[in-house]
Amino acid sequence: MFVLELTYIASMERVDAVLSDHVAWLDAHYAGGVFLASGRKDPRDGGVIIALGDDRTKMEEIAESDPFTVAGVAEYTITKFVATKTAAPLDQYRETLPS
């Protein structure tokens, strides 16, 4: 799994101008089975996405295709992690540490 953390680098006016395109981009990745959860940070200075996958390069490509990135209103920090414990509804995503 990956945590994709967005940080806004532009005014909220510029962020909001691209928001509907960003939501459509999110929807496409949910439909494709890549995104598991997402939402705004509080305070609203960016957002967080939990994504499924094991290919860092692919996650970087996904982040680069975000309309927020394309418009220059957000930057990403991408962190890979191994979900060794999960809540029951997420059991199917539980992982084991590599040997």
Side-chain angles (χ1 to χ4, degrees):
M1 286 191 177
F2 289 86
V3 175
L4 286 67
E5 182 177 3
L6 298 80
T7 301
Y8 298 142
I9 57 171
S11 68
M12 289 312 302
E13 181 178 293
R14 287 190 53 214
V15 170
D16 286 340
V18 189
L19 184 58
S20 63
D21 292 337
H22 171 74
V23 171
W25 171 86
L26 287 169
D27 290 344
H29 288 290
Y30 275 107
V34 177
F35 291 170
L36 187 59
S38 61
R40 291 180 180 171
K41 292 192 283 186
D42 183 9
R44 188 181 176 199
D45 60 1
V48 174
I49 301 167
I50 306 298
L52 300 172
D54 57 10
D55 184 343
R56 181 177 204 62
T57 300
K58 179 65 175 169
M59 287 301 140
E60 291 169 352
E61 290 170 358
I62 288 171
E64 289 170 8
S65 72
D66 181 350
F68 279 172
T69 304
V70 174
V73 301
E75 293 179 335
Y76 275 86
T77 300
I78 300 172
T79 305
K80 184 175 183 177
F81 76 102
V82 180
T84 56
K85 289 193 67 72
T86 62
L90 300 176
D91 280 350
Q92 65 182 328
Y93 305 113
R94 190 174 299 148
E95 301 172 272
T96 57
L97 292 173
S99 301

